Amino acid sequence: MKVSVSGIGKAGLPLASVIAEAGLEVIGVGRNEERIKSLNNAVNPIPEETGLAQLLKKNVGKRLQFTSDGVQAAKETQVHVIIVPLFITDKKETDLSNIKDATTIIAKGLKKGDLVVLETTVPIGTTNKVIKPILEKLSRLKAGKDFYLAFSPERMMTGFAISRYKEVPKVVGGIDEKSTKKVADFYRKFCTTVVEVSNMETAEMTKIAEGVYRDVNIALANELLKIAEKNTINYWEVQKASQTFACHLHEPGNVGGHCIPVYPWFLINSFDVPLIKNARLLNDDMISYYAQKVEKVAKKGQKVLVVGISFREGVKETAYTRGFPFIKLLQKKGFHVLVYDPLYSKKEVEAFGYEYSDEFRSSKAVILMNKYPELKKTLSKLGVKVIDVKNSVR
């Protein structure tokens, strides 16, 4: 069995490496020629991903290779995994172009008996209504008869992606029972636990539900945070105490990244889901709440330092980060905004168009957007001027 993995980013690259480590031959398919050349030299582009460098060093040139020729890769392999990024537009509409492109390429090399599995989180029905027609039209093969088709959502977190395949069950839903079994057997070669569900739509909704669950519960935490602070109560103490009896309150704060801010829109755009919609809007608006805190300790024209532009600590990624709109909001309110993030160099911060500073004392307010343990000692001395979004200083 030989496998092609379409998409070699923060999700696809760890997946390809884990499959190769399990003893299967893998071809990773991407578009960036420089990245492909670097990967074929076993250079790790995601240093924060624990264990990835070792897997690349061990398997590249043996069971793992990378190419931009997706059609040839499809012709040479029997299992085709699609794990390319999906984005939403400024109007919150789903952009499936990357998925359609990858599917079109695979279809040109698809053969009888092949397995095709989509891992990218998508709106309900996408695998059946978008992926299947493209594959069938271009290959002239029939899904469920000539080739096997399934959806199996990625359930990883950057920094822990490799271990997740051993720790987190893999959900698989096929276009028919045989497809489910075939794809599930493939995943059992490198996943500890595989959960088979009745169809592709169930598997698709499972992943959406996981993201929406977290978004709604973070929104609940954000509302409770506001109530607690209005009553001079420490929310974090409430959170800890409440967990002693059948309650799991989430951490309040901003919500960014490829997942949680995106998935709710799959439902909001198609269904009447006021709870989900209000939660999403509430979480996006938390930057206004933190801006109000800044206004209490600093005046217009004064310097304020935003610490953290990545969407979460430990991950050098700005996808849907709330850091950018927060900076824009502070600038609109008339503050002189400076930016610092331990993950980004001065040159990188300035490339985003921001003024860099690693000097904390000269700013009237320091807004700590993420958890940075290495800054705790320094920031703990600054007192009320620190607006600690993730309660990581005190």
Side-chain angles (χ1 to χ4, degrees), residues 87-95 261-262 264-270 277 280-281 284 320:
F87 300 100
I88 55 174
T89 67
D90 291 340
K91 295 182 179 180
K92 310 303 182 183
E93 296 170 344
T94 305
D95 180 0
V262 175
W265 291 105
F266 298 167
L267 304 181
I268 295 168
N269 290 336
S270 301
K277 182 176 182 179
R280 179 85 296 276
L281 296 177
D284 266 356
Y320 301 103

Side-chain angles (χ1 to χ4, degrees), residues 11 15 18 161-168 170 190-192:
L15 172 61
V18 167
I162 291 169
S163 62
R164 283 288 177 101
Y165 290 102
K166 299 297 182 184
E167 299 166 354
V168 178
K170 200 78 172 74
F190 58 94
C191 295
T192 301

Side-chain angles (χ1 to χ4, degrees), residues 117-135:
V117 54
L118 175 63
E119 284 210 8
T120 305
T121 308
V122 292
I124 299 168
T126 298
T127 312
N128 191 42
K129 296 177 182 177
V130 178
I131 304 301
K132 183 170 79 75
I134 295 173
L135 292 172

Side-chain angles (χ1 to χ4, degrees), residues 206-216 218 259-261 263-264:
T206 296
K207 181 57 188 293
I208 296 171
E210 291 169 4
V212 169
Y213 167 85
R214 293 170 67 193
D215 199 37
V216 170
I218 293 170
C259 303
I260 302 178
Y263 304 162

Side-chain angles (χ1 to χ4, degrees), residues 103-115:
T103 304
T104 298
I105 290 169
I106 289 169
K108 294 177 181 178
L110 194 64
K111 308 167 295 299
K112 283 192 175 183
D114 283 4
L115 279 65

Side-chain angles (χ1 to χ4, degrees), residues 78 109-115 140-141 145-148:
Q78 295 78 48
L110 194 64
K111 308 167 295 299
K112 283 192 175 183
D114 283 4
L115 279 65
R140 297 185 179 180
L141 300 174
K145 178 183 177 182
D146 300 315
F147 68 92
Y148 307 99

Side-chain angles (χ1 to χ4, degrees), residues 47-272:
E48 65 266 32
E49 191 59 68
T50 306
L52 181 58
Q54 293 88 330
L55 291 186
L56 289 173
K57 186 176 181 181
K58 181 178 178 181
N59 293 293
V60 168
K62 298 171 186 176
R63 291 187 291 266
L64 180 59
Q65 60 178 299
F66 301 91
T67 183
S68 60
D69 190 343
V71 175
Q72 186 60 36
K75 290 178 179 178
E76 294 179 17
T77 57
Q78 295 78 48
V79 181
H80 316 283
V81 182
I82 303 171
I83 189 167
V84 295
L86 173 149
F87 300 100
I88 55 174
T89 67
D90 291 340
K91 295 182 179 180
K92 310 303 182 183
E93 296 170 344
T94 305
D95 180 0
L96 295 172
S97 57
N98 287 332
I99 294 174
K100 290 179 180 178
D101 289 346
T103 304
T104 298
I105 290 169
I106 289 169
K108 294 177 181 178
L110 194 64
K111 308 167 295 299
K112 283 192 175 183
D114 283 4
L115 279 65
V116 181
V117 54
L118 175 63
E119 284 210 8
T120 305
T121 308
V122 292
I124 299 168
T126 298
T127 312
N128 191 42
K129 296 177 182 177
V130 178
I131 304 301
K132 183 170 79 75
I134 295 173
L135 292 172
E136 290 183 335
K137 181 179 180 180
L138 296 178
S139 70
R140 297 185 179 180
L141 300 174
K142 184 73 174 175
K145 178 183 177 182
D146 300 315
F147 68 92
Y148 307 99
L149 178 64
F151 180 80
S152 179
E154 56 85 10
R155 301 173 104 185
M156 57 149 286
M157 177 184 288
T158 300
F160 308 95
I162 291 169
S163 62
R164 283 288 177 101
Y165 290 102
K166 299 297 182 184
E167 299 166 354
V168 178
K170 200 78 172 74
V171 175
V172 175
I175 193 171
D176 54 21
E177 186 176 350
K178 195 168 184 180
S179 290
T180 300
K181 297 294 182 187
K182 286 279 189 179
V183 174
D185 286 344
F186 160 65
Y187 279 111
R188 288 190 178 99
K189 296 180 184 299
F190 58 94
C191 295
T192 301
T193 305
V194 177
V195 177
E196 298 179 23
V197 296
S198 56
N199 51 51
M200 297 187 295
E201 290 76 14
T202 300
E204 289 170 336
M205 186 171 178
T206 296
K207 181 57 188 293
I208 296 171
E210 291 169 4
V212 169
Y213 167 85
R214 293 170 67 193
D215 199 37
V216 170
N217 278 279
I218 293 170
L220 171 62
N222 280 329
E223 284 205 333
L224 292 175
L225 170 75
K226 293 176 182 178
I227 294 169
E229 292 187 341
K230 193 170 184 178
N231 288 276
T232 323
I233 297 170
N234 186 328
Y235 169 84
W236 304 90
E237 186 179 358
V238 171
Q239 182 197 34
K240 184 178 180 180
S242 68
Q243 289 174 345
T244 60
F245 184 70
C247 182
H248 179 68
L249 290 178
H250 284 40
E251 288 188 356
N254 296 299
V255 182
H258 285 290
C259 303
I260 302 178
V262 175
Y263 304 162
W265 291 105
F266 298 167
L267 304 181
I268 295 168
N269 290 336
S270 301
F271 306 97
D272 182 22

Side-chain angles (χ1 to χ4, degrees), residues 324-342:
F324 290 167
F326 182 56
I327 292 168
K328 186 176 180 180
L329 177 60
L330 292 178
Q331 290 173 332
K332 186 177 180 180
K333 288 179 175 293
F335 294 106
H336 180 178
V337 183
L338 305 172
V339 175
Y340 175 71
D341 191 314

